[in-house]
Structures are given as C-alpha cells and as structure tokens.
Amino acid sequence: MEKILIADFGSQYTQLIARRLREMNVYCEIYPFNKVPRPDADVRGVILSGSPASVRDAGAPQIDLTPFSGHLPILGICYGAQYLAQTNGGEVLPSPSREYGRAMLSIGDASDPLMQGLDAQTQVWMSHGDTIQTLPAGAHLLASTSDVKNAAYRFDKLPVWAIQFHPEVYHTLQGMQLLRNFIVPICGCRQDWTPDNFVEQTVAQLKETVGDDNVILGLSGGVDSSVAAILLKRAVGDRLHCIFVDSGLLRYNEYEEVLASYKDMGLNVIGVDASERFYADLKGVTDPEEKRKIIGRDFVETFNEAASKIENARWLAQGTIYPDVVESASVSGPAAKIKSHHNVGGLPEKMHLKVVEPLRLLFKDEVRRVGVSLGMPQSLIGRHPFPGPGLAIRIIGDITPEKVHILQQVDKIFIDNLRREGLYDKVWQAGAILLPIQSVGVMGDERTYERCVALRAVSSVDGMTADWVHLPYEFLAQTSNEIINKVKGVNRVVYDISSKPPATIEWE
Ligand code: XMP
C-alpha cells in the first residue's frame, strides 16, 4: 500500500496534513520526528511538519534525512522549510515581526511542478516567528509574500521543496492544489486509498493474521466497535464472538435496541445484563474518577467472565482509532505521549489475548465512510459519541436506579426531538445531565420541590474542542415543556452554554 510519511515536529496542524492527504485518497502515517522509520518500497514521499520550536534553539528537533534525501521527494512545511534551509547552509533569523495569519503569495516560478494550477497571487496562511533570510546554495526561489521573501523554494538537483506557509489549513485557499501537486505528479501516488479498498485490504489482512482462531470483541453500541465487528465478521465469519455488556448506564432502551440491530447484522452477540452489579458497586460513590474506576473494573470483570466461556479464543479485537494511537512529538524531549483508550483500558493484559485493531489507522470520519462502504445502517453510523461510563458521569453525585431512570427519560425526549426536528445530524454530541439540586416550582396549584436537569448539545470535530450549539429557542421551549410535563420528578430545565475549553463536554 503506497504511502507518504509525515515527520511530526510538534505542530498543532500535523494531523491536518494527514487529513488532507487522506481526503485525496492517499494513505499516510504520522511519526514523531525522531521515530520516523526507514522507508520501505511503499513509501512515495516525506513531509516535514511545522513546530512550535525554533531551528535556532540549542535543543531544536533534528531529523536524519539521509535515508530519504535524493531517493524520495521531500516537502518541508514551516519549521520543516526552515530546517531544510538551515541544515543546508541557508540562514534562518527571527522575523522582524511575528508573521501570523493571511498573506498574499506571489508565484515567481510558475513552471515548477509544485506551483502548477495556482493563481499568480493566492492567499496563504502564515504562522511563524523565524524567517528564512538566505536560501541554501543550490536552491532557488519559487514564491514570496510582501513580508516573506523566501516563502517557497526548491533545491535545483534534489526532489526537495520547502514552503513557509501552511497548505493544510483552510485559509490557504489553494492549499489542497499544492498538496495534490506534491503527492500526485511529484510523488507519483495513485490516489487509490478508498474505503472500499480499505475494506478489501483489511479483510484480507485479518484473515491472514487471525487464521483459524476465535476472536472476541466488546461492542459498545458506538460506531467504532460496530465497524470493527463488521470487518471481522467478513474476515472470520462465526468465529467472531461479540460481547455487549449492559451496565445499566446506557440510554433508554438502548441495550435492547442495539442488541437487536447487531443480531440483524448477523453478528454473533452475547448480551450480558450486569446492571445490578454496577449499581451495587456504585452505591454512594460521588467522585467522578472513582465512578470511572469502578465502572472500568466491573466492565473488565463482566467481560472476562463472558469471554472465558468462549473456547479457543486467541484474539481480542478493539475499535481503537488513529487519534488514540498517534504519538504526538514532544519538542521538549522525545518522550511520546499516547492517549489511552478509555473504554477497554486494562483488558488485553489481564486476558492473555493477542490484540487486533482493524481501525487503528483511521480517523473518525473515515470509520464512518468505511461503515457506509460495509452497508451498515445510517442509524448506527451517524450516532453521537457516548462516553464509556455512560450516564454515570451525567448524574452528578451518587447513582441510583431511580436517578438513571429519570435521566433516561429526559435524554430520550431531548434526543427524539433533535431527530424529529432534523437537528440530530447537525449536532456532534448531545445529552442531558441530572443535577444534584432541587428547586421550587409550581404545578397546578401545588408547590413542588424537584430536580433540575441540564441539556447539552455541542459542535466539534474531534471532541478536543467544542462549542455549544445555538439550538432554536422554539426547540428548547418545546423540549423543556415536554420534559417537565412528562418526566415525574423534574420541574426545571436549563441549557448549557459553555464552550470547551474552558468547560468540558461532560460535566464530570
Ligand atoms: P470531555 O468531557 O473530556 O469529553 O470534554 C470529550 C469526549 O470524550 C468523551 N468522554 C469519555 N469517553 N470514557 C469515554 O469513553 C470517559 O471516561 C469519557 N469522558 C469523556 C465525551 O463524551 C466526549 O465525547
């Protein structure tokens, strides 16, 4: 499978570079600058990312380009461009003023393959504190802006290009064209990395890896584990055994509905109702992290008990996706940070199973595209993310079955209304929170003293940052009315208007 390697020097935009290439159906992998593997026959080119560091710093990130230089096309972006200049005899100095934001690029050498199809003047996005004062010997200028003379250059005798601006961000209006110029004519990529191809290749690989063994997979009702299950089902058929645990903390009727839809998809699913166990262990616990720990432990134990009944199981499949595994380069040192996978932390070590993760190379929207290519129902593919600990972290304070029941009803009204009004797909994640306060109200002629719930709906791309959605007032009015009228025990509804940061999506 042909691919581009991206050396990450710690820029906030590195993942965007990968996204852009993948949008053009070119497969790529991100590596910390000091862990880039030697190229194999599949590698078609290398991109050096930006960085918050300065090439002039004593501890500036360094990369050994010997395995690539002269053999494969290289594109340096921002820090990458400065690094290529400095290490080849050019000069990099602090910019007289920090250059940040839009700039107009004037193309000087329109015949260069990297500049093909770009307008003579085109808007680009700059974000840098240093500037390339002098080009290295053997390099020539391709484009400039009014403030940055050496905004794009290339080496005369080597397939090495460098640009000071960021083609991967939206504000570089012809950034996609420039990246396409690099990956298609220059690197020679065929752009054939499509969801259909991914399915075909992954199923073949899974067949080979897993052989005749049995595989166990924990389904959560979410998109990732479901897509992973369907891929494995294609590869190993009935040797895939799925386990779906009801923690009693799922949405209203979710356990029954999701279990039925999994069965409709032909999956071999064992459903385990463990709500009593979770409720018993959570009794009286109010600390959010303590709740997460208990739920994690109960999940592992329940899962283990069900899994131990499956004979000849050698593999544990997980729905881990790319943002969970990609290592981000730390410019202050090589120690790479890896996010742990919330839902299944601790499972593999305890189970002595080998792990298989068919989605570990995909971003979330790619998982959805693969789901479509596998013919999965839209109702499953388009589901909002839902946290592993479920409603437990949306009930502030201790958990009781009665509180879960109240919150499930509120959540159902909110989500059903979003669907009915065509708003569900416009929102990234939505849910309700049961607050630990009661307030005075009046219903009929009676004074009430009941619970308050908060509604939350956010827009986001990856959950790292989020903004509250401006749901129509009429929608909120109608939903609030319906909740207070129908859900016994609730007499007040509020809407959360906080963004992340500084707030978070979940309240706990
Ligand atoms: P926060 O609240 O950190 O949430 O802004 C970001 C995203 O992560 C989800 N989330 C979790 N998912 N286990 C999970 O599996 C957890 O403990 C957990 N906490 C938050 C949250 O729903 C949102 O999508």
Side-chain angles (χ1 to χ4, degrees):
M1 180 166 64
E2 62 179 24
K3 63 183 161 199
I4 301 285
L5 300 183
I6 301 172
D8 180 20
F9 291 99
S11 162
Q12 56 176 328
Y13 299 135
T14 305
Q15 288 219 7
L16 264 186
I17 305 176
R19 303 284 306 246
R20 296 287 171 262
L21 299 198
R22 300 225 190 152
E23 280 166 25
M24 293 187 276
N25 297 330
V26 170
Y27 178 64
C28 57
E29 287 172 357
I30 302 176
Y31 290 96
F33 62 92
N34 52 0
K35 292 194 183 159
V36 180
R38 296 180 77 81
D40 57 28
D42 295 329
V43 178
R44 298 281 178 274
V46 182
I47 295 182
L48 312 180
S49 83
S51 173
S54 161
V55 290
R56 296 173 302 102
D57 292 345
Q62 309 278 327
I63 182 168
D64 177 12
L65 288 173
T66 345
F68 311 101
S69 208
H71 310 293
L72 287 168
I74 299 176
L75 174 66
I77 296 176
C78 195
Y79 178 93
Q82 297 171 353
Y83 182 81
L84 288 168
Q86 160 130 340
T87 50
N88 288 286
E91 190 180 20
V92 177
L93 294 176
S95 309
S97 61
R98 212 182 128 76
E99 279 141 3
Y100 185 84
R102 292 179 183 81
M104 196 51 81
L105 186 79
S106 306
I107 314 286
D109 180 355
S111 66
D112 187 85
L114 193 67
M115 301 291 147
Q116 291 307 301
L118 302 191
D119 296 339
Q121 300 264 319
T122 182
Q123 179 185 302
V124 295
W125 185 259
M126 291 283 186
S127 175
H128 59 109
D130 286 345
T131 200
I132 301 167
Q133 188 70 20
T134 323
L135 292 184
H140 70 269
L141 187 64
L142 297 178
S144 309
T145 69
S146 55
D147 291 329
V148 182
K149 178 161 182 279
N150 297 318
Y153 68 92
R154 71 161 293 184
F155 289 77
D156 305 330
K157 299 214 170 81
L158 290 173
V160 178
W161 285 259
I163 51 179
Q164 181 58 72
F165 51 90
H166 288 273
E168 67 278 20
V169 308
Y170 174 74
H171 293 99
T172 295
L173 298 181
Q174 294 186 298
M176 283 292 263
Q177 175 66 35
L178 186 143
L179 288 171
R180 183 178 290 110
N181 288 344
F182 180 67
I183 56 182
V184 183
I186 296 177
C187 295
C189 292
R190 289 189 305 264
Q191 295 183 283
D192 57 2
W193 194 68
T194 60
D196 286 351
N197 279 348
F198 173 85
V199 169
E200 201 180 302
Q201 282 166 0
T202 308
V203 168
Q205 265 166 17
L206 286 171
K207 277 187 181 153
E208 200 178 308
T209 313
V210 173
D212 293 330
D213 296 333
N214 278 346
V215 184
I216 303 180
L217 181 144
L219 285 168
S220 69
V223 186
D224 305 342
S225 64
S226 308
V227 172
I230 301 296
L231 274 171
L232 273 147
K233 161 98 187 148
R234 288 231 179 146
V236 305
D238 285 345
R239 279 181 287 115
L240 172 68
H241 300 264
C242 301
I243 299 171
F244 182 36
V245 175
D246 183 5
S247 58
L249 303 164
L250 299 172
R251 293 190 138 125
Y252 187 80
N253 259 348
E254 190 174 25
Y255 177 65
E256 294 75 10
E257 284 171 17
V258 172
L259 197 58
S261 83
Y262 282 143
K263 289 188 173 157
D264 284 348
M265 287 186 268
L267 290 172
N268 204 349
V269 197
I270 306 164
V272 188
D273 178 358
S275 1
E276 294 307 324
R277 175 188 210 152
F278 283 79
Y279 289 153
D281 290 345
L282 284 168
K283 196 167 177 198
V285 178
T286 55
D287 178 66
E289 286 313 302
E290 190 63 20
K291 288 183 191 173
R292 280 192 170 82
K293 265 189 219 143
I294 292 169
I295 293 166
R297 190 198 63 211
D298 282 359
F299 178 82
V300 170
E301 287 175 9
T302 311
F303 188 92
N304 271 342
E305 284 162 21
S308 63
K309 296 182 188 134
I310 299 165
E311 284 175 12
N312 190 26
R314 304 283 293 281
W315 294 91
L316 179 74
Q318 294 189 315
T320 317
I321 65 172
Y322 202 50
D324 299 327
V325 291
V326 70
E327 298 181 44
S328 30
S330 158
V331 252
S332 48
K337 155 184 111 220
I338 305 179
K339 269 198 278 171
S340 59
H341 197 244
H342 304 291
N343 296 335
V344 283
L347 271 182
E349 294 78 5
K350 290 203 169 176
M351 299 182 69
H352 308 292
L353 294 171
K354 290 183 275 185
V355 175
V356 58
E357 296 173 318
L359 306 176
R360 62 180 286 121
L361 303 175
L362 302 188
F363 288 106
K364 189 94 185 176
D365 53 325
E366 293 169 335
V367 175
R368 293 203 162 107
R369 280 163 61 196
V370 167
V372 171
S373 153
L374 287 165
M376 292 170 64
Q378 179 56 32
S379 57
L380 233 171
I381 294 170
R383 288 176 83 124
H384 289 172
F386 188 66
L391 298 180
I393 57 170
R394 294 186 181 166
I395 294 173
I396 314 301
D398 68 319
I399 316 282
T400 62
E402 179 229 351
K403 288 184 188 176
V404 171
H405 184 58
I406 290 178
L407 187 58
Q408 281 178 334
Q409 296 172 75
V410 172
D411 180 80
K412 178 171 166 45
I413 293 173
F414 184 31
I415 299 293
D416 283 354
N417 286 359
L418 284 170
R419 286 194 195 280
R420 201 182 50 235
E421 298 301 320
L423 293 164
Y424 185 85
D425 292 331
K426 300 193 173 127
V427 166
W428 192 78
Q429 185 171 18
I433 300 102
L434 187 66
L435 305 184
I437 54 165
Q438 284 171 282
S439 73
V440 174
V442 54
M443 275 193 195
D445 287 333
E446 301 222 4
R447 176 188 184 276
T448 60
Y449 189 57
E450 290 178 336
R451 294 179 193 283
C452 174
V453 292
L455 305 182
R456 181 111 169 102
V458 296
S459 58
S460 178
V461 175
D462 50 15
M464 304 298 285
T465 58
D467 202 0
W468 61 280
V469 176
H470 295 212
L471 291 176
Y473 276 177
E474 297 69 33
F475 172 87
L476 289 170
Q478 194 196 345
T479 303
S480 155
N481 209 18
E482 194 176 337
I483 291 170
I484 295 172
N485 283 336
K486 290 194 180 158
V487 184
K488 203 162 172 298
V490 173
N491 70 352
R492 195 172 292 266
V493 177
V494 297
Y495 186 52
D496 184 348
I497 54 168
S498 332
S499 64
K500 170 184 181 176
T504 50
I505 296 176
E506 304 295 347
W507 281 40
E508 286 200 332

